[in-house]
């Protein structure tokens, strides 16, 4: 779409969004605003590409007359930035799923109530939080399970809110395997796993009230404090959601319901069904139990370790950088694989 056409479409959507809500349903207004946001984001990327291209063209013309190391370095920087912007535009064009533009809930579960598994789950939590922060997304905790017997988390939910967060991250769903010489036990080399589940934020889905079970915490008689966590279960499938981070039962209840809708919707998408009642319970763990990546820590000076994606073959020896959120090469390969 050319710049003039983008501008015309932008103006059209702004006019629609400005109309009195009496003429539009709430859902219609939200959809228009989402489309407007998407268009403005795409237009900003296009303008950035045009600026980089113009700067690069000017630099090439000047370098044809006279060599200039500083100008040549500036040219290389502009070309790298242009290439990065074009790659991102290309990926976003592939993210055309119904919720790919949404933010994401990212649910991390230690495989067992074991110190190594829980430590690995916390490393993955930090890795994805850093990835989201590096992209400028809003990152927040939604809830975590009660502490395991070793005093660490068994399960945690991270909210990563920003355009295309769900589309980028959805291929991260599956089993992540760690191999290392563990500092946490005396058995030496240790292999452990954690599962990652990615579901979209802000899903519109109707759940029959009779299919919901709401579990509230009992009051703490000794301390006099009233816990506020809420666990919500979809009875026919057993899929559940837990919210612990809000300050009241009401807010945690709303969050748990939102998360449950997201998990059900993601399950429907993965099983390619259009109704909640069509979800096949016996297939619920199939996707989560699929090994997708191995993280091998260095065992000695001769073995520097590596991260290997088991689906795409992408690998790197920069293990520390990956665990610090440098996931873009793996995420890009995952998006291309899904499309």
């Amino acid at each position: 779409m050319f710049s003039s056409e983008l501008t015309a479409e932008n103006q059209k959507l702004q006019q629609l969004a400005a109309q009195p809500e009496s003429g539009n349903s709430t859902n219609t207004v939200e959809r228009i605003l989402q489309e407007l946001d998407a268009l403005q984001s795409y237009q900003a990327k296009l303008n950035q590409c045009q600026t980089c291209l113009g700067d690069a063209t000017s630099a090439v013309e000047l370098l044809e007359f006279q060599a200039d190391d500083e100008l040549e370095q500036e040219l290389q920087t502009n070309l790298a930035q242009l290439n990065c912007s074009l790659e991102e535009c290309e990926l976003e064009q592939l993210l055309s799923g119904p919720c790919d533009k949404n933010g994401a809930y990212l649910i991390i579960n230690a495989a067992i109530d074991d110190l190594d598994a829980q430590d690995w789950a916390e490393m993955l939590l930090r890795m994805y939080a850093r990835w989201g922060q590096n992209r400028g997304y809003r990152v927040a905790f939604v809830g975590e399970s009660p502490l395991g017997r070793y005093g660490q988390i068994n399960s945690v939910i991270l909210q990563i809110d920003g355009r295309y967060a769900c589309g980028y991250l959805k291929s991260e769903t599956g089993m992540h395997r760690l191999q290392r010489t563990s500092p946490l036990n005396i058995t030496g080399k240790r292999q452990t796993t954690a599962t990652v589940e990615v579901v979209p934020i802000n899903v519109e889905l109707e759940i029959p009230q009779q299919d919901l079970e709401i579990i509230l915490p009992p009051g703490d008689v000794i301390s006099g404090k009233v816990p506020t966590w809420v666990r919500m279960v979809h009875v026919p499938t057993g899929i559940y959601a837990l919210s612990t981070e809000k300050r009241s039962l009401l807010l945690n209840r709303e969050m748990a319901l939102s998360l449950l809708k997201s998990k059900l919707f993601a399950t429907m998408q993965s099983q390619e069904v259009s109704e909640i009642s069509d979800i096949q319970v016996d297939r619920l763990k199939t996707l989560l139990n699929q090994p997708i990546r191995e993280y091998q820590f260095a065992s000695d000076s001769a073995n520097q370790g590596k991260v290997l994606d088991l689906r795409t073959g992408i690998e790197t020896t920069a293990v520390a950088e990956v665990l610090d959120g440098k996931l873009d090469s793996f995420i890009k390969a995952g998006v291309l694989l899904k499309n």
Side-chain angles (χ1 to χ4, degrees):
M1 188 179 291
F2 295 105
S3 181
S4 59
E5 293 175 318
L6 283 171
T7 302
E9 185 67 17
N10 194 341
Q11 292 173 346
K12 176 182 176 182
L13 288 172
Q14 287 180 339
Q15 291 172 357
L16 286 172
Q19 290 178 0
E21 289 197 16
S22 58
N24 293 313
S25 68
T26 302
N27 290 340
T28 301
V29 172
E30 289 179 355
R31 179 181 57 78
I32 292 172
L33 291 174
Q34 287 172 357
E35 289 181 7
L36 181 60
D37 181 48
L39 189 64
Q40 290 174 340
S41 176
Y42 185 78
Q43 193 168 29
K45 286 188 175 69
L46 179 60
N47 292 338
Q48 184 182 33
C49 288
Q50 290 174 333
T51 299
C52 287
L53 182 59
D55 291 344
T57 301
S58 298
V60 169
E61 291 174 349
L62 290 172
L63 286 170
E64 287 179 347
F65 291 99
Q66 183 177 356
D68 186 320
D69 292 342
E70 185 176 342
L71 185 58
E72 186 170 350
Q73 181 60 46
E74 183 181 333
L75 171 61
Q76 295 301 323
T77 300
N78 280 328
L79 289 176
Q81 185 176 354
L82 177 61
N83 184 60
C84 182
S85 296
L86 289 174
E87 282 189 355
E88 189 163 335
C89 286
E90 178 187 7
L91 286 180
E92 290 182 359
Q93 292 302 305
L94 295 175
L95 298 176
S96 57
C99 290
D100 281 355
K101 294 179 182 179
N102 295 29
Y105 293 122
L106 195 142
I107 306 151
I108 302 171
N109 289 289
I112 55 176
D113 188 2
D114 167 88
L115 190 57
D116 272 292
Q118 292 166 355
D119 186 55
W120 176 225
E122 290 197 8
M123 282 192 278
L124 288 174
L125 170 66
R126 179 184 181 277
M127 180 181 76
Y128 286 112
R130 291 300 296 270
W131 176 85
Q133 291 163 355
N134 290 341
R135 291 189 63 88
Y137 289 158
R138 295 182 297 277
V139 178
F141 296 104
V142 173
E144 62 183 35
S145 66
L147 298 180
R149 56 178 173 166
Y150 296 100
Q152 290 183 282
I153 60 170
N154 280 317
S155 176
V156 65
I157 303 169
L158 192 66
Q159 180 174 328
I160 301 182
D161 202 358
R163 287 186 50 74
Y164 290 106
C166 186
Y168 283 127
L169 287 170
K170 66 182 181 182
S171 62
E172 293 293 295
T173 293
M175 184 183 295
H176 295 245
R177 183 181 298 148
L178 169 66
Q179 294 183 17
R180 67 170 173 176
T181 301
S182 174
L184 302 175
N185 59 58
I186 60 174
T187 60
K189 192 170 183 180
R190 186 80 169 178
Q191 176 173 298
T192 191
T193 60
T195 60
V196 172
E197 182 179 5
V198 178
V199 299
I201 295 174
N202 298 329
V203 168
E204 294 183 9
L205 191 66
E206 293 295 326
I207 306 176
Q209 191 63 37
Q210 65 270 20
D211 290 345
L212 288 176
E213 179 184 5
I214 303 171
I215 302 173
L216 304 176
D220 190 333
V221 178
I222 297 176
S223 68
K225 295 180 180 179
V226 180
T228 59
W229 60 262
V230 175
R231 180 185 176 104
M232 195 164 293
V233 184
H234 181 248
V235 177
T237 62
I239 294 174
Y240 69 90
L242 175 71
S243 178
T244 64
E245 295 300 301
K246 301 298 183 181
R247 295 183 178 180
S248 69
L249 280 172
L250 178 61
L251 292 176
N252 275 321
R253 177 170 174 162
E254 291 176 352
M255 177 57 70
L257 179 59
S258 174
L259 180 56
L260 181 60
K261 289 180 178 181
S262 296
K263 294 180 76 170
L264 287 168
F265 182 84
T267 301
M268 291 163 56
Q269 291 293 301
S270 66
Q271 295 190 5
E272 298 181 343
V273 298
S274 57
E275 301 291 338
I276 299 178
S277 57
D278 294 330
I279 291 176
Q280 300 176 40
V281 178
D282 58 347
R283 293 178 54 197
L284 287 179
K285 293 184 178 180
T286 302
L287 193 60
L288 286 179
N289 290 337
Q290 177 185 357
I292 67 166
R293 193 171 301 141
E294 288 186 350
Y295 306 73
Q296 301 174 14
F297 284 17
S299 57
D300 51 51
S301 58
N303 178 11
Q304 59 183 334
K306 67 177 181 179
V307 181
L308 171 65
D309 194 284
L310 302 173
R311 304 156 302 170
T312 64
I314 298 292
E315 68 176 82
T316 178
T317 56
V319 180
E321 290 185 6
V322 171
L323 293 177
D324 198 38
K326 303 294 178 60
L327 290 169
D328 285 347
S329 61
F330 294 104
I331 286 177
K332 177 183 176 181
V335 172
L336 294 174
L337 180 68
K338 293 289 185 180
N339 292 275

